[in-house]
């Protein structure tokens, strides 16, 4: 019968069920994928963005028709012209990128291949997960910052140079140090001025107190010599500090900082100073080749270079005139000059100087050796 034939016929193939988009899935759950260079969908799973779960469809992945249908639905939902919620534009861009990847057969095949093979992804595309280049800095900003910091440093370094000499000068004036102890003619002069000012202040203070009261002053306990000295030093210190602060330049480069100490201005002047020095030394070399005698300017430059700016600035005009005649750029002359300076600062008597000179002539030793033995 026909019914029997129908039962004996082989059943027709049942259409295979295509993976449907999971409408109940969390729209914010886009899975994850190793794609640091954003070749595909970045850190998210392209399939999950369009609502498909790669782990659930088995051997039947979504077709191009399924992907297109899901894309159209999601793109309408998250189009920024229709959806004004926060993040809608970013989601719309991600959905479009996922559609672009999964509808390109070559790119989709590569994407599926790299899913479980991050090492192969790394070999082909590298990785920005391990490191990333910082945005390139503006070179002009860096140069300006460097010049500002450098200028601040040179300014305060110059101030510190001046302050070092100022502190020593105040100490020498207050404690009445002799040249042998580290004092100088300048500190002695400052102390003398400070004593005059202090005496005037005491005189004015005494006269003022005498006008207010004719009562006899009560005498306090008598001070010891040490206490009197400390009291005088405490009274002199602020006066000495004020006097020293009035000195802008101690010589030898130890001066208060000015705008010319800023690194920016120094760098502007460097070419000029270098060119001037080069020209001067070139002229000096030519004069030496011609065997001409040293002129006054050459003697001055060579002497200052030999003794140093600090020593040159510290001596008197008479001593400078003498130094210009001693040919101190010659090592032997410079050594002898420094030995005489040491003896002068130490207060060596004329008799001892003659004795040291005789010892030197006899070859017993240098003045410095005998001087050290004598005062050790």
């Amino acid at each position: 019968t026909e019914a029997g034939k129908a039962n004996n016929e082989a059943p027709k193939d049942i259409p295979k069920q295509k993976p449907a988009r999971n409408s109940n899935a969390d729209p914010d759950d886009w899975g994850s994928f190793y794609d640091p260079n954003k070749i595909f969908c970045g850190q998210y799973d392209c399939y999950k963005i369009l609502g498909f779960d790669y782990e659930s469809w088995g051997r039947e992945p979504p077709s191009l028709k399924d992907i297109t249908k899901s894309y159209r639905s999601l793109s309408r939902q998250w189009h920024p012209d229709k959806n004004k919620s926060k993040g809608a534009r970013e989601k719309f861009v991600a959905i479009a990128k996922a559609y672009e990847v999964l509808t390109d057969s070559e790119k989709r095949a590569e994407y599926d291949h790299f899913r479980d093979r991050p090492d192969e992804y790394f070999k082909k595309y590298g990785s920005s997960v391990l490191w990333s280049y910082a945005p390139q800095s503006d070179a002009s900003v860096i140069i300006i910052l460097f010049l500002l910091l450098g200028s601040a440093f040179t300014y305060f370094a110059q101030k510190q140079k001046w302050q070092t000499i100022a502190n020593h000068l105040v100490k020498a004036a207050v404690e009445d140090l002799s040249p042998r102890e580290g004092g100088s003619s300048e500190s002695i002069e400052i102390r003398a001025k400070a004593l005059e000012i202090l005496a005037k202040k005491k005189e004015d203070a005494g006269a003022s107190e005498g006008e207010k009261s004719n009562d006899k002053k009560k005498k306090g306990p008598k001070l010891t010599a040490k206490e009197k000295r400390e009291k005088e030093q405490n009274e002199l210190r602020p006066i000495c500090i004020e006097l020293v602060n009035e000195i802008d330049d101690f010589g030898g480069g130890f001066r208060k900082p000015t705008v010319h100490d800023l690194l920016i201005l120094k760098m502007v002047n460097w070419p000029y100073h270098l060119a001037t020095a080069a020209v001067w030394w070139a002229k000096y070399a030519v004069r030496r080749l011609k065997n001409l005698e040293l002129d006054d300017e050459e003697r001055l430059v060579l002497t200052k270079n030999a003794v140093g700016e600090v020593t040159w600035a510290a001596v008197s005009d008479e001593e400078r005139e003498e130094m210009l005649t001693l040919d101190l750029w010659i090592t032997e002359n410079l050594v002898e000059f420094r030995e005489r300076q040491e003896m002068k600062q130490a207060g060596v008597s004329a008799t001892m100087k003659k004795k040291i000179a005789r010892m030197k002539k006899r070859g017993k030793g240098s003045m410095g050796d005998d001087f050290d033995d004598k005062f050790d």
Side-chain angles (χ1 to χ4, degrees):
T1 63
E2 292 183 1
K5 289 181 180 180
N7 289 334
N8 292 329
E9 288 179 358
K12 294 182 180 180
D13 292 339
I14 300 173
K16 296 178 180 178
Q17 187 176 2
K18 297 290 183 181
R21 187 170 67 87
N22 188 358
S23 59
N24 296 324
D26 184 357
D28 294 325
D29 180 16
W30 285 355
S32 61
F33 192 86
Y34 183 79
D35 182 22
N37 289 318
K38 299 182 180 180
I39 305 299
F40 306 106
C41 297
Q43 62 180 318
Y44 301 113
D45 185 349
C46 294
Y47 288 108
K48 276 247 180 178
I49 292 175
L50 295 180
F52 301 103
D53 188 351
Y54 183 88
E55 304 298 333
S56 64
W57 65 59
R59 296 182 179 180
E60 294 297 328
S63 64
L64 181 61
K65 182 178 179 181
D66 298 327
I67 291 171
T68 303
K69 181 179 178 181
S70 178
Y71 164 71
R72 289 175 178 173
S73 174
L74 291 171
S75 62
R76 284 195 299 267
Q77 178 184 351
W78 293 104
H79 197 286
D81 290 343
K82 298 180 179 180
N83 192 327
K84 303 299 182 182
S85 62
K86 185 177 180 181
R89 179 177 294 277
E90 289 76 11
K91 288 187 177 183
F92 179 79
V93 172
I95 290 166
K97 179 66 175 178
Y99 177 73
E100 176 189 339
V101 171
L102 297 181
T103 53
D104 184 324
S105 58
E106 292 184 5
K107 209 163 190 178
R108 180 177 178 180
E110 186 180 38
Y111 177 75
D112 292 340
H113 179 76
F114 286 145
R115 173 174 290 276
D116 298 320
R117 300 174 180 86
D119 54 332
E120 295 188 24
Y121 176 98
F122 179 81
K123 288 180 182 179
K124 183 172 183 178
Y125 295 111
S127 173
S128 61
V129 173
L130 302 178
W131 66 84
S132 61
Y133 292 102
Q136 187 175 3
S137 302
D138 189 347
S140 60
V141 174
I142 295 176
I143 293 173
I144 292 173
L145 182 61
F146 168 77
L147 291 176
L148 291 176
L149 292 176
S151 297
F153 174 79
T154 54
Y155 184 90
F156 286 106
Q158 181 61 40
K159 186 177 188 303
Q160 186 60 35
K161 283 180 63 177
W162 177 90
Q163 192 64 54
T164 300
I165 301 300
N167 292 341
H168 177 76
L169 197 56
V170 169
K171 176 181 172 65
V174 170
E175 299 180 7
D176 195 18
L177 300 181
S178 65
R180 182 179 179 180
E181 297 169 325
S184 63
S185 59
E186 198 167 21
S187 66
I188 295 172
E189 182 181 349
I190 289 173
R191 179 179 175 83
K193 289 182 180 179
L195 287 172
E196 290 180 9
I197 295 173
L198 180 61
K200 185 70 169 60
K201 286 184 176 180
K202 288 182 176 180
E203 182 182 343
D204 294 342
S208 177
E209 289 179 2
E211 293 175 0
K212 291 181 180 179
S213 174
N214 292 324
D215 297 337
K216 292 183 179 180
K217 295 182 180 178
K218 294 182 180 180
K219 294 183 178 181
K222 188 175 181 180
L223 300 176
T224 63
K226 181 180 179 181
E227 291 173 338
K228 287 181 180 180
R229 186 169 62 254
E230 290 178 351
K231 180 182 178 183
E232 182 184 64
Q233 289 179 357
N234 292 332
E235 292 173 340
L236 284 175
R237 184 168 284 103
I239 301 174
C240 290
I241 291 175
E242 186 176 348
L243 292 173
V244 170
N245 285 336
E246 293 176 358
I247 304 174
D248 293 334
D249 192 350
F250 295 118
F254 295 90
R255 51 177 174 71
K256 287 183 178 179
T258 64
V259 67
H260 298 289
D261 292 303
L262 298 177
L263 179 62
I264 297 175
L265 294 183
K266 283 189 172 186
M267 291 179 67
V268 170
N269 293 327
W270 280 347
Y272 169 77
H273 292 307
L274 290 174
T276 303
V279 170
W280 191 91
W281 285 106
K283 290 181 179 178
Y284 174 81
V286 171
R287 288 179 58 84
R288 298 291 70 75
L289 292 174
K290 293 181 179 180
N291 293 323
L292 299 176
E293 293 186 2
L294 295 172
D295 58 25
D296 293 340
E297 182 183 4
E298 290 173 335
R299 283 187 167 275
L300 175 62
V301 173
L302 293 174
T303 301
K304 289 176 69 175
N305 289 343
V307 301
E309 289 287 345
V310 176
T311 301
W312 181 261
V315 299
S316 62
D317 293 338
E318 293 78 11
E319 290 174 313
R320 290 175 186 169
E321 291 294 332
E322 180 187 0
M323 290 163 65
L324 290 173
T325 64
L326 298 177
D327 295 350
L328 296 179
W329 52 89
I330 300 174
T331 304
E332 294 79 4
N333 296 343
L334 181 61
V335 171
E336 185 176 350
F337 169 76
R338 294 196 184 283
E339 289 175 344
R340 288 205 305 268
Q341 290 294 105
E342 290 176 359
M343 289 190 292
K344 181 179 179 182
Q345 292 179 358
V348 178
S349 64
T351 303
M352 179 57 67
K353 289 180 182 178
K354 291 179 181 179
K355 182 179 178 181
I356 294 173
R358 287 196 299 270
M359 289 179 179
K360 184 180 178 184
K361 288 181 180 179
R362 290 198 299 266
K364 184 174 180 178
S366 69
M367 290 191 296
D369 295 338
D370 185 77
F371 177 77
D372 293 339
D373 295 339
K374 181 71 178 175
F375 290 95
D376 278 345

